[in-house]
Amino acid sequence: QVQLVESGGGSVQAGGSLRLSCAASGFNIGNDCLAWFRQIPGKEREGVARIVTGAGSTSYADSVKGRFTISQDKAKNTVYLQMNNLKPEDTALYYCAFHPISRYCLSATSRDFLRWGQGNQVTVSS
């Protein structure tokens, strides 16, 4: 029932920007948790950013603070990840993910998220 559809990935040069979108269906954004993760082949999936919908509380990985911004558009039932000043180290497959209980949002691990988008490749060249 809950589905997440991602868009906005692509290839950019270092210093460029991309915006990823995660359009949700099967539920209305309001009191839950949506997050962005990324994964490099052979490495553990890394939490990038997360947002408590409704309240709007956010958290970020140290590696992206000041460069990435997670936001929500309740009318469009969509969460975004604005990525600025991209670095080659940001190259990865990016996923959005859903957790239904807002109070667990900031502490949940990747294994706790119940629904995932299909993944969008972001490639940053130097």
Side-chain angles (χ1 to χ4, degrees), residues 65-84:
K65 285 181 179 177
R67 299 189 298 120
F68 291 11
T69 303
I70 187 171
S71 62
Q72 63 185 316
D73 187 330
K74 297 174 185 176
K76 296 181 179 179
N77 221 41
T78 298
V79 170
Y80 303 96
L81 184 67
Q82 178 67 44
M83 303 182 291
N84 296 328

Side-chain angles (χ1 to χ4, degrees), residues 44-62:
E44 189 79 6
R45 187 168 296 181
E46 176 190 19
V48 176
R50 55 190 73 194
I51 184 168
V52 180
T53 59
S57 302
T58 60
S59 67
Y60 298 90
D62 289 341

Side-chain angles (χ1 to χ4, degrees), residues 33 50 52 99-109 112-113:
C33 176
R50 55 190 73 194
V52 180
H99 195 291
I101 305 176
S102 61
R103 67 178 180 270
Y104 297 152
C105 191
L106 302 185
S107 62
T109 68
D112 297 322
F113 284 81

Side-chain angles (χ1 to χ4, degrees), residues 16-40:
S17 298
L18 287 172
R19 188 179 74 164
L20 302 180
S21 299
C22 179
S25 62
F27 71 100
N28 292 322
I29 292 174
N31 191 29
D32 40 52
C33 176
L34 287 166
W36 290 95
F37 290 80
R38 64 187 182 187
Q39 188 164 26
I40 299 171

